[in-house]
Amino acid sequence: MKKLFVIFIISFLLFFTACHQEPMEKNGNGDLPRMVMVNGEIYVDADKAPSEEARCGVMDGFISSSVPRTEKPKKDDQSNFGKDYGYQLWSEDSIQVNIDEDWIIFEKES
C-alpha cells in the first residue's frame, strides 16, 4: 500500500510539472520580458548567454524600432528594449542578439 501511495504521489508531481507552463507575466512595473520580432515570430529573452563563440561576423539583421517595455513588438525588427542592436539567426527556434557587446539568446515564443 505504501508503494502504491508513493507511486501515486510521484505520478501526480510528474504530471503537474509536465502540464504546468508559466504564463508570460509582467513584473511589478508592468514590464514584459525583453522581446523582438524577426520574420513574423516573437523571440523572448531566454536569460542565458550562448555557450558557443563560433558565429560569423555578419549580422542577419538589426533591430530598427522599439515599443514600450509594457508592449509586445508588432512588426519585424522591432523590440521592446531598444533599437540599433544586431542579431544573428541561430537555430530554428532561437536567435542571438548583441546587446552592449554581450550575445544574448532569445527563444521563439511558444
Side-chain angles (χ1 to χ4, degrees):
M1 183 69 171
K2 192 182 275 189
K3 283 183 181 180
L4 186 59
F5 180 74
V6 170
I7 291 172
F8 173 77
I9 294 297
I10 290 172
S11 298
F12 175 77
L13 291 174
L14 288 173
F15 175 78
F16 180 77
T17 303
C19 293
H20 179 72
Q21 291 185 349
E22 291 294 320
M24 187 176 310
E25 293 185 18
K26 297 180 178 186
N27 66 17
N29 299 331
D31 292 346
L32 291 169
R34 293 191 295 190
M35 301 176 185
V36 61
M37 181 178 276
V38 174
N39 297 329
E41 298 284 346
I42 295 284
Y43 292 84
V44 180
D45 186 344
D47 197 28
K48 58 186 173 184
S51 59
E52 301 172 21
E53 291 296 322
R55 62 179 64 82
C56 70
V58 178
M59 297 294 172
D60 293 317
F62 289 90
I63 299 171
S64 59
S65 66
S66 183
V67 296
R69 194 64 196 270
T70 55
E71 297 178 22
K72 290 175 89 169
K74 297 171 184 71
K75 61 182 184 176
D76 280 339
D77 299 329
Q78 185 175 66
S79 80
N80 68 349
F81 58 88
K83 61 181 184 173
D84 299 325
Y85 298 112
Y87 63 83
Q88 290 187 346
L89 306 175
W90 194 246
S91 72
E92 189 174 305
D93 296 322
S94 68
I95 63 171
Q96 293 187 19
V97 181
N98 190 312
I99 302 173
D100 301 326
E101 304 298 319
D102 291 322
W103 287 97
I104 307 296
I105 296 173
F106 281 68
E107 295 175 340
K108 194 179 286 186
E109 183 179 54
S110 52

